[in-house]
């Protein structure tokens, strides 16, 4: 059974799922407040790292949107 945890960061939703994929044990999805979603199949070796990477991606998406 897949275990999923959720978090909210700067208005974005993060969903981390336990799934083995090569050297990664977690994948994650990030969804913006407007509904734009991205899936990362190799999110991290542990749950904490997957959440950290998701937050890094959100920060990058926000920074890129501010530049436009």
């Amino acid at each position: 059974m897949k275990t999923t945890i959720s978090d909210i960061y700067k208005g974005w939703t993060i969903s981390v799922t336990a799934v083995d994929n090569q050297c990664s044990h977690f994948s994650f999805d990030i969804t913006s407040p407007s509904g734009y979603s991205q899936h990362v199949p190799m999110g991290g070796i542990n749950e904490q790292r997957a959440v950290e990477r998701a937050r890094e991606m959100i920060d990058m998406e926000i920074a890129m949107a501010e530049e436009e």
Side-chain angles (χ1 to χ4, degrees), residues 10-63:
K10 296 184 179 180
W12 290 58
T13 303
I14 301 170
S15 297
V16 176
T17 304
V19 58
D20 286 329
N21 186 0
Q22 297 178 8
C23 63
S24 178
H25 299 292
F26 291 87
S27 66
F28 65 84
D29 295 278
I30 58 172
T31 306
S32 73
S34 66
Y36 173 71
S37 184
Q38 293 183 64
H39 175 72
V40 177
M42 296 177 67
I45 191 136
N46 59 40
E47 188 176 281
Q48 180 182 357
R49 183 61 186 131
V51 170
E52 289 171 356
R53 288 191 67 206
R55 289 180 176 181
E56 290 167 2
M57 281 187 66
I58 291 168
D59 288 339
M60 185 175 62
E61 289 290 333
I62 291 170

